[in-house]
Amino acid sequence: METGTGPDRTDVTPSAAGPFLNGIPRQPGAVTPVRGGGEADPSGPGVERAGLVESSGPGVVEQPGMPWPPEPGVEQARLPRPSGPCRERVAPSGCRGRSGRLASGRRTRPTPAHRSLPRPWRLLPTPAGAPFTFWYLAVLVLTSLITEYADPAVVHAFHQGFSTDVAHLVGAPVPVLVASALWIAGGVASPYALGFVLVLTALERRIGGRRTAMVFLLGHVLATLATEIPVGVSVLTGGLPGSSLHRLDYGISFGVAASVGALAALLPWWSRWPLLLAFGWMLLDDLMEFTDPMTNWGHLVALAIGIAMWPVVRRWRRAAMARDAVPPLVRVSATPVSAWK
């Protein structure tokens, strides 16, 4: 050791600190430069000069480029550890996420989800997965039980009072349009009852209950008006008798037909066109039998309404998928650092 000019100042000799410093021969009595424009003064810990930062206490990291391990008697310039959400790997004991891995600044690619096994029970509505279809089906089961076990005169009075004929549409259109969709024409044995369960459940799981209700009601209302308005015009012109104003018309078939047309837009091509061809052929076969031509034409109109809604239904599907997708990086960065430990 060699003593300097001051009583407390000591300089490290080359034999104690090593003969070289960053490739340059070390001179006795020279001070160690600090990155940033200052010099390290070992006269006392905690003394701050130009470019020298307080180095005592936890939570600091070593400045890159300085000699390591530290030389005896020479303070090392240190930088404070970042206090915000950790996005850089600063030390082996740095910020850790919920998985225990070190958080990094680069965006990680999410792990692709494994293909799940077929789940046939998803074809049926549930209170959580398809609430609109589930509770609507509960109401239809109740009205079907009334139709099956109540007095026939009472049942006929219900159907006649909730019929969407011209006379009721002129007097109270909104209550009649809603009440007529609470009954199943033909009971639970009707093919439209099975179509209601399968089609509306599949549609609701893809676009949501509120939008499924809009598709169903739009087909029900527009197809009803498209079949009843010509009847009223024909009665006024003398083409049909006045009894046609009280024609019995109720059921869910128009809404189901519109839902079938809308659901076809969200299916792959290999199932979309067979569904439309099979359902369309069934409607045409009913029309050719000529048992109830106005209702049969209403089914075709409702199917066309559902097909016309393909652009809207596909946009609803994309919006539902974007709302359900949550990026994992955003979910991790929104958690406070204190919750990670």
Side-chain angles (χ1 to χ4, degrees), residues 260 271-284 303:
V260 170
S271 59
R272 174 189 309 150
W273 300 114
L275 174 65
L276 290 177
L277 290 176
F279 188 72
W281 176 256
M282 185 186 72
L283 298 183
L284 289 175
L303 179 63

Side-chain angles (χ1 to χ4, degrees), residues 24-66:
I24 302 175
R26 186 179 181 86
Q27 300 298 329
V31 296
T32 303
V34 179
R35 194 182 295 260
E39 63 180 20
D41 189 353
S43 58
V47 179
E48 183 178 359
R49 290 190 179 185
L52 186 62
V53 185
E54 176 69 31
S55 61
S56 61
V60 294
V61 292
E62 301 295 337
Q63 181 176 356
M66 300 304 296

Side-chain angles (χ1 to χ4, degrees), residues 123-146:
L123 298 176
L124 301 177
T126 59
F132 168 73
T133 308
F134 180 84
W135 296 113
Y136 195 177
L137 179 61
V139 174
L140 292 176
V141 170
L142 178 61
T143 56
S144 298
L145 292 176
I146 294 175

Side-chain angles (χ1 to χ4, degrees), residues 14-315:
S15 60
F20 295 93
L21 177 62
N22 295 335
I24 302 175
R26 186 179 181 86
Q27 300 298 329
V31 296
T32 303
V34 179
R35 194 182 295 260
E39 63 180 20
D41 189 353
S43 58
V47 179
E48 183 178 359
R49 290 190 179 185
L52 186 62
V53 185
E54 176 69 31
S55 61
S56 61
V60 294
V61 292
E62 301 295 337
Q63 181 176 356
M66 300 304 296
W68 188 263
E71 300 177 3
V74 179
E75 293 287 343
Q76 299 292 324
R78 302 185 180 188
L79 297 176
R81 189 183 301 275
S83 59
C86 183
R87 292 184 178 272
E88 296 182 352
R89 186 173 298 180
V90 297
S93 60
C95 298
R96 294 181 181 269
R98 296 181 179 177
S99 61
R101 299 181 179 178
L102 289 170
S104 59
R106 58 186 179 180
R107 184 183 297 271
T108 58
R109 181 176 298 178
T111 304
H114 297 285
R115 291 184 177 273
S116 59
L117 297 176
R119 292 172 289 181
W121 58 87
R122 287 179 60 86
L123 298 176
L124 301 177
T126 59
F132 168 73
T133 308
F134 180 84
W135 296 113
Y136 195 177
L137 179 61
V139 174
L140 292 176
V141 170
L142 178 61
T143 56
S144 298
L145 292 176
I146 294 175
T147 304
E148 183 70 21
Y149 296 104
D151 185 79
V154 175
V155 173
H156 181 75
F158 275 126
H159 291 168
Q160 189 65 46
F162 298 144
S163 175
T164 52
D165 52 32
V166 177
H168 286 107
L169 288 176
V170 172
V174 176
V176 170
L177 286 170
V178 174
S180 64
L182 303 180
W183 304 84
I184 302 178
V188 293
S190 171
Y192 289 101
L194 180 61
F196 175 89
V197 175
L198 299 180
V199 173
L200 266 73
T201 301
L203 188 61
E204 184 174 1
R205 289 186 183 276
R206 287 166 171 80
I207 64 175
R210 181 173 57 87
R211 291 164 177 170
T212 302
M214 292 175 60
V215 173
F216 184 90
L217 291 177
L218 190 64
H220 175 72
V221 172
L222 294 183
T224 299
L225 296 178
T227 54
E228 295 297 335
I229 290 178
V231 173
V233 173
S234 298
V235 171
L236 291 177
T237 57
L240 291 175
S243 60
S244 300
L245 298 177
H246 303 279
R247 189 176 66 92
L248 195 62
D249 187 15
Y250 65 93
I252 60 172
S253 57
F254 290 168
V256 172
S259 300
V260 170
L263 177 63
L266 308 179
L267 298 178
W269 65 270
W270 53 267
S271 59
R272 174 189 309 150
W273 300 114
L275 174 65
L276 290 177
L277 290 176
F279 188 72
W281 176 256
M282 185 186 72
L283 298 183
L284 289 175
D285 185 65
D286 292 341
L287 181 61
M288 288 185 293
E289 291 181 359
F290 210 74
T291 56
D292 191 357
M294 296 303 299
T295 301
N296 296 331
W297 276 113
H299 292 156
L300 291 172
V301 171
L303 179 63
I305 291 172
I307 295 175
M309 295 184 66
W310 280 10
V312 179
V313 172
R314 286 170 175 167
R315 185 166 64 249

Side-chain angles (χ1 to χ4, degrees), residues 85 98 330-340:
R98 296 181 179 177
V330 175
R331 185 181 302 171
V332 171
S333 62
T335 306
V337 178
S338 60
W340 295 353

